[in-house]
Amino acid sequence: DTAVSQTPKYLVTQMGNDKSIKCEQNLGHDTMYWYKQDSKKFLKIMFSYNNKELIINETVPNRFSPKSPDKAHLNLHINSLELGDSAVYFCASSPMTSSSTDTQYFGPGTRLTVL
Amino acid sequence: AQSVTQLGSHVSVSEGALVLLRCNYSSSVPPYLFWYVQYPNQGLQLLLKYTSAATLVKGINGFEAEFKKSETSFHLTKPSAHMSDAAEYFCAVKKAAGNKLTFGGGTRVLVKP
């Protein structure tokens, strides 16, 4: 059973297009995240949602819009894609917002390539 | 602001040799510290975490790390490297309040036969 799943695994698209990445977790966790890993493997948090409510929003262009229809899903929509958006995007989840000792569980990643 | 520095972007070890990956953090308050491993084309998996209990933390796959407050370090070790340890390793820090993980730049481990 996959704990945190993402679709698609690979996404190749042209500059200027709009695309979405989906994430689902079956762990019953309250909190979900989106991270971006660049070509140098540097990982940075983008967003965090707790029970469908946005709680972390890092300095991310407003072309990126997360959407959480329920606490098991956190999707990432990207408008007007740019070359610099090429990266691997990881979804993660953790049990509770209030506990900083909680482990974050990561999905397998979505490799986005913008041409 | 908190940050994490991993010394050495690449480490090469022989199979059976000691693995030592260095991580130093800066934080204005005592942090929680994590080591994650990323195998090729996969997501991150938790190896171990320090949450202000014992300073020597044992994790999965024979890894352990020691929290040293005086040195602001949380180095990861494994006594004997195995070929399956070849991966990217990330140190991360989190404040005691909040759930934002800040990652270091990663260290790629190569294991030679």
Side-chain angles (χ1 to χ4, degrees), chain A residues 40-109:
Chain A
K40 290 187 166 57
K41 298 285 188 179
F42 183 66
L43 261 167
K44 195 167 188 314
I45 191 166
M46 300 172 71
F47 301 103
S48 175
Y49 268 72
N50 177 253
N51 276 322
K52 303 192 294 175
E53 185 181 337
L54 182 66
I55 54 171
I56 293 177
N57 184 351
E58 290 294 289
T59 311
V60 176
N62 57 15
R63 298 181 296 103
F64 290 79
S65 53
K67 284 193 172 48
S68 182
D70 55 60
K71 75 172 195 178
H73 295 84
L74 181 62
N75 304 323
L76 183 65
H77 189 74
I78 316 170
N79 288 327
S80 304
L81 278 155
E82 300 177 357
L83 292 176
D85 297 333
S86 295
V88 181
Y89 292 85
F90 287 100
C91 179
S93 72
S94 65
M96 296 185 297
T97 307
S98 58
S99 173
S100 287
T101 62
D102 279 351
T103 298
Q104 292 184 18
Y105 294 82
F106 284 76

Side-chain angles (χ1 to χ4, degrees), chain B residues 1-4 25-32 93-97 100-102:
Chain B
Q2 54 197 7
S3 67
V4 181
Y25 68 90
S26 66
S27 176
S28 55
V29 296
Y32 296 134
V93 64
K94 196 194 284 187
K95 277 186 190 172
K100 178 182 165 185
L101 265 179
T102 300

Side-chain angles (χ1 to χ4, degrees), chain B residues 1 8 19 38 64 101:
Chain B
V19 179
Q38 184 181 24
E64 63 181 38
L101 265 179

